[in-house]
Amino acid sequence: MEPTQVFYNGTPITSPSNHLTNEQKLELLDWHPIFTGRCPNCQRPIRETTPPRSHWDCGECGWRDHNRHKFKTE
């Protein structure tokens, strides 16, 4: 099945998944709490909720999910 082109006000919009390289997508699996269940900063468990969370912010150290596009560099 071919992906459908999406437009906003006549301008084509690309899927957010196209903005990350394959390496960055794999890196997310290693550190983001949605996959690990832990804060990437302090390692405190961040439990899944019902309904599901839209942000995975850490109440212990203050790490905020809006940093999700800033990949860790070693």
Side-chain angles (χ1 to χ4, degrees):
M1 178 178 216
E2 297 262 337
T4 305
Q5 180 68 54
V6 179
F7 293 86
Y8 175 77
N9 199 23
T11 304
I13 300 172
T14 58
S15 168
S17 63
N18 293 339
H19 297 268
L20 300 176
T21 66
N22 285 339
E23 184 177 327
Q24 289 171 323
K25 290 175 190 175
L26 289 172
E27 187 177 341
L28 276 174
L29 293 174
D30 288 338
W31 72 269
H32 196 280
I34 197 168
F35 305 111
T36 66
R38 296 192 168 274
C39 171
N41 190 50
C42 72
Q43 298 304 310
R44 176 183 176 265
I46 301 178
R47 294 208 164 88
E48 203 168 325
T49 61
T50 303
R53 299 173 177 273
S54 59
H55 295 283
W56 291 77
D57 301 338
C58 180
E60 186 70 27
C61 74
W63 180 84
R64 311 261 320 156
D65 186 37
H66 67 268
N67 293 327
R68 64 189 176 271
H69 297 298
K70 296 179 181 177
F71 293 92
K72 292 179 1 181
T73 56
E74 306 285 331

